[in-house]
Amino acid sequence: MKKVISVFLAVVMVFSVFAVTAAAATNAKVKYPIIFIAGSSVDLFDAEGNEISTGIEVLTDDDEGDGMGMDKIVETTVNILKPFVMEGLLQDKWDNYGKVLYDEFAPIWDESQLDGDGNTKYGIGVSASEISHWDNVAATVDHGKDGTFSYVDYKFRYDWRLSPYDHVDRLHEFIKTVLNTTKCEKVCLVGRCLGGNVVTAYLDKYGSEGLVAKVVYDEVMSNGSTTVNDSFSGKIKFSDKHIQAYLLESEHFGKDDIGIDLRGVNELLIDAVKKTVDCAVQSGALQVGLDGIEALYEKVAEAFLPAMLRATGLATWPSYWTSLNAQDFDTALNLIFGEEGSEVRKANAGLVEKILYLKERIVIPRTYEGEANLYKKFEKEYGVEIGILAGYGLLQGPITESSDDTGDCTVDLKSASFGATAAGVFDTLSDEYIAERTALGYGDYISADRKVDASTCLFPDTTWIIKNKHHDTMTGYYIVEKFCQYENFTVSNNYKDIDRFLVASLEKYGNSAFENMTEDNCGDPYWITDVEQTPTLKTKLEALISFLKVFFKVITELFNGNITLDF
């Protein structure tokens, strides 16, 4: 009898385990409305309803004859700033250079800057009619009558320049409106780029109310961005190899097509560089050679960036400050706004207060280990499932210390994926590293191109990593919708057999196709393989000239990832 009972219990246990496994392997459909929160692609308007420019195109906006134009840029840079470049090179004193640069260019971007309290100027913001439209959709349209929602059904519009905490109360009401309309209990939030900041701030304040079932972070900056971090904190480094690759990459994705015709200014810019270099050589401030060219570039860039980040408004937008690392935060504040007690810091006291609030609520808590981590708190305490989309294989800002960090051209992979370990742009993970990780049981987390280890991600089972995914494309949104609409949708449990590592189509900018990564399709694109690896004086000077041709454009391009999209 005991033997019969033992056999019976064993059979029950086997079937019980099988039943649990089978249940876990199913993807039961759930009904959650999806609210899409875009980044900086949302257009801004003044109080009269006129669209304003927050990008570099303002320099060539000659509709009323008041555009600065590229000729004026070169004239200003060479004739007005050259004496201060020389002062900096000879005396290592760059304060005057930065001040003159800021005074010259700040009026051009006056409308896009926030004021000293971190508020908008002149009634500028997202169109009131657009906000009203989406509020009306949320209140009247049930897109889920067939049981399925799309990420384009409900869009939350906001002024992405402001602190994300300025928007969470309105988002809370928007969510409750959508739930009332659809008769659902919870929503899914999809945060793209800067939209991730709004999602994170919302969960920080309202997550305990349990209205959010799932969240997707698509190449967000709320978990950091090494390019933004290094630019804000002055970590400048010249690399002709990375600039070569960046320019090839930009050409492929059509990033030259933003309203500036560079063909007519090529000779002027070459002349400007020659004059600057010749003047520095004649004065003895610059020794001709690799180190001299690099030193000139880095010194000018170190002074250039803080002034231009404030002048263009970028550093006055609190949302970008979530991209900084906690250890570089104070350095960046001092570099951009001056040390405590300085006139610039006093004039921006309210803005700095908002920026520091983000540091305490988002930046520092995301660095905590284990369950204390901000996002782990959302998962554990609020029951929020978190999915991640991240891209790699593209160059970041080629003028910073982090230029070798692979990413999506705006956010580095480690930040966007919440912790993936990645090789440099031109490298692969070492044989020793791969052998060690494989021995620990993490071999399946290594990409076929041997460049990424996803086992170190914060949410490795719900993180999809896409090679050659540009920040400005919607590659992977099939995954987003399925993650939101099905239970237990993970890397290992999805009915379409979508792998952890994917490859985006390298068709023209905007294509959203992808396929599972294999040994056959995982090769590097030409902007990686065609780069001249050994620097010479010629390649350094040519890289410097080429980069200066798009310097002003790149400054905006690094931080304004969605300039061609309207979601």
Side-chain angles (χ1 to χ4, degrees):
M1 175 62 77
K2 288 183 178 179
K3 184 176 181 180
V4 172
I5 293 175
S6 297
V7 172
F8 175 77
L9 290 175
V11 172
V12 170
M13 289 179 65
V14 168
F15 276 96
S16 296
V17 171
F18 177 78
V20 171
T21 304
T26 62
N27 289 110
K29 202 166 187 180
V30 291
K31 188 177 179 183
Y32 296 135
I34 303 173
I35 297 175
F36 181 77
I37 307 175
S40 57
S41 63
V42 183
D43 294 330
L44 302 179
F45 298 83
D46 62 21
E48 285 72 42
N50 301 308
E51 184 176 352
I52 71 158
S53 172
T54 56
I56 207 65
E57 64 271 16
V58 69
L59 292 172
T60 52
D61 182 8
D62 289 319
D63 291 342
E64 298 179 6
D66 55 358
M68 187 174 187
M70 289 298 290
D71 289 358
K72 179 63 174 176
I73 293 174
V74 175
E75 179 185 343
T76 299
T77 303
V78 175
N79 297 330
I80 297 179
L81 297 177
K82 186 169 65 176
F84 301 102
V85 171
M86 295 311 305
E87 180 183 58
L89 288 170
L90 292 170
Q91 303 177 30
D92 198 24
K93 177 177 170 52
W94 296 94
D95 292 348
N96 289 330
Y97 173 87
K99 183 179 185 305
V100 172
L101 186 68
Y102 177 80
D103 290 344
E104 190 71 27
F105 287 101
I108 301 173
W109 282 278
D110 180 46
E111 290 183 318
S112 65
Q113 301 159 6
L114 297 185
D115 65 22
D117 290 319
N119 299 319
T120 63
K121 299 179 180 179
Y122 319 121
I124 290 171
V126 177
S127 167
S129 62
E130 182 168 7
I131 292 177
S132 176
H133 165 74
W134 287 109
D135 285 347
N136 182 64
V137 170
T140 62
V141 182
D142 180 4
H143 283 290
K145 289 182 179 180
D146 63 350
T148 301
F149 289 98
S150 165
Y151 77 92
V152 296
D153 288 341
Y154 303 102
K155 299 178 183 179
F156 179 75
R157 294 310 205 195
Y158 66 104
D159 189 335
W160 38 267
R161 299 171 302 162
L162 300 171
S163 167
Y165 285 93
D166 290 342
H167 308 298
V168 294
D169 293 343
R170 188 166 64 84
L171 175 57
H172 190 52
E173 294 304 313
F174 189 87
I175 289 172
K176 289 192 291 185
T177 299
V178 170
L179 292 177
N180 182 64
T181 301
T182 60
K183 309 305 178 189
C184 295
E185 295 182 355
K186 294 185 178 184
V187 300
C188 295
L189 299 179
V190 177
R192 174 171 168 77
C193 190
L194 292 175
N197 288 329
V198 180
V199 172
T200 298
Y202 176 81
L203 291 175
D204 179 48
K205 184 171 182 179
Y206 288 108
S208 61
E209 296 199 13
L211 301 183
V212 179
K214 300 186 180 188
V215 159
V216 177
Y217 286 109
D218 175 28
E219 298 180 307
V220 295
M221 300 172 73
S222 52
N223 196 50
S225 168
T226 54
T227 297
V228 178
N229 180 82
D230 288 5
S231 298
F232 276 47
S233 57
K235 293 185 175 181
I236 305 302
K237 183 179 180 180
F238 183 95
S239 170
D240 73 310
K241 183 169 68 172
H242 291 85
I243 289 175
Q244 288 180 59
Y246 188 84
L247 293 173
L248 288 172
E249 172 186 289
S250 298
E251 180 181 347
H252 173 85
F253 285 103
K255 299 300 287 185
D256 286 338
D257 186 19
I258 63 169
I260 298 177
D261 185 352
L262 298 174
R263 292 170 296 181
V265 300
N266 184 55
E267 293 183 6
L268 287 171
L269 286 160
I270 291 175
D271 187 51
V273 173
K274 284 183 178 179
K275 286 181 179 178
T276 303
V277 173
D278 288 347
C279 186
V281 171
Q282 291 170 10
S283 68
L286 176 65
Q287 181 181 0
V288 176
L290 296 181
D291 293 339
I293 296 294
E294 185 170 331
L296 172 63
Y297 172 82
E298 291 182 0
K299 282 294 185 181
V300 173
E302 285 171 7
F304 181 96
L305 273 176
M308 288 304 291
L309 287 171
R310 280 183 54 227
T312 57
L314 291 167
T316 74
W317 304 341
S319 201
Y320 280 95
W321 285 82
T322 62
S323 297
L324 270 72
N325 300 326
Q327 64 267 26
D328 293 321
F329 216 96
D330 291 340
T331 299
L333 277 176
N334 292 339
L335 190 63
I336 301 295
F337 297 108
E339 297 183 357
E340 290 190 37
S342 69
E343 291 303 315
V344 175
R345 180 72 79 97
K346 289 178 181 178
N348 291 277
L351 171 59
V352 171
E353 183 179 355
K354 287 188 174 183
I355 290 171
L356 288 172
Y357 188 79
L358 295 177
K359 175 187 177 184
E360 297 300 321
R361 301 299 305 182
I362 295 179
V363 176
I364 292 178
R366 75 179 185 223
T367 64
Y368 294 157
E369 297 293 331
E371 299 300 327
N373 176 274
L374 182 66
Y375 300 102
K376 282 293 185 179
K377 173 185 174 182
F378 297 157
E379 180 187 52
K380 181 180 180 180
E381 297 185 14
Y382 305 152
V384 177
E385 294 182 50
I386 297 177
I388 310 290
L389 284 185
Y392 79 102
L394 279 72
L395 275 291
Q396 309 305 102
I399 61 172
T400 64
E401 290 183 7
S402 60
S403 61
D404 199 41
D405 291 352
T406 188
D408 65 6
C409 195
T410 300
V411 186
D412 61 289
L413 175 62
K414 183 176 181 180
S415 298
S417 65
F418 291 60
T421 300
V425 171
F426 300 102
D427 302 316
T428 58
L429 299 171
S430 69
D431 292 340
E432 293 78 11
Y433 178 89
I434 293 176
E436 178 183 336
R437 299 302 290 175
T438 301
L440 292 172
Y442 297 118
D444 291 340
Y445 292 85
I446 305 296
S447 60
D449 60 2
R450 300 167 61 88
K451 286 179 174 285
V452 181
D453 174 11
S455 69
T456 56
C457 292
L458 194 61
F459 304 99
D461 293 332
T462 53
T463 298
W464 288 268
I465 298 175
I466 309 174
K467 186 169 186 176
N468 301 327
K469 175 181 178 353
H470 194 287
H471 190 80
D472 290 357
T473 63
M474 299 298 287
T475 309
Y477 265 70
Y478 174 88
I479 299 172
V480 171
E481 291 188 342
K482 294 301 179 284
F483 175 80
C484 291
Q485 295 298 294
Y486 289 88
E487 288 183 346
N488 195 34
F489 193 91
T490 67
V491 169
S492 58
N493 180 28
N494 60 75
Y495 68 94
K496 284 292 186 180
D497 295 324
I498 303 169
D499 291 346
R500 183 189 318 278
F501 294 105
L502 309 163
V503 178
S505 168
L506 280 181
E507 296 299 322
K508 188 66 177 175
Y509 177 82
N511 195 300
S512 60
F514 67 89
E515 59 186 357
N516 289 336
M517 179 181 289
T518 67
E519 295 286 348
D520 295 328
N521 66 10
C522 70
D524 290 333
Y526 70 89
W527 56 78
I528 301 296
T529 58
D530 288 1
V531 168
E532 187 172 343
Q533 301 291 316
T534 304
T536 64
L537 176 58
K538 181 175 182 292
T539 62
K540 276 188 175 286
L541 185 56
E542 287 180 346
L544 175 59
I545 293 171
S546 297
F547 185 70
L548 285 176
K549 286 170 58 179
V550 293
F551 196 62
F552 286 82
K553 181 188 68 176
V554 169
I555 291 299
T556 296
E557 191 169 293
L558 295 178
F559 308 105
N560 193 10
N562 296 323
I563 54 178
T564 62
L565 296 181
D566 182 20
F567 298 121

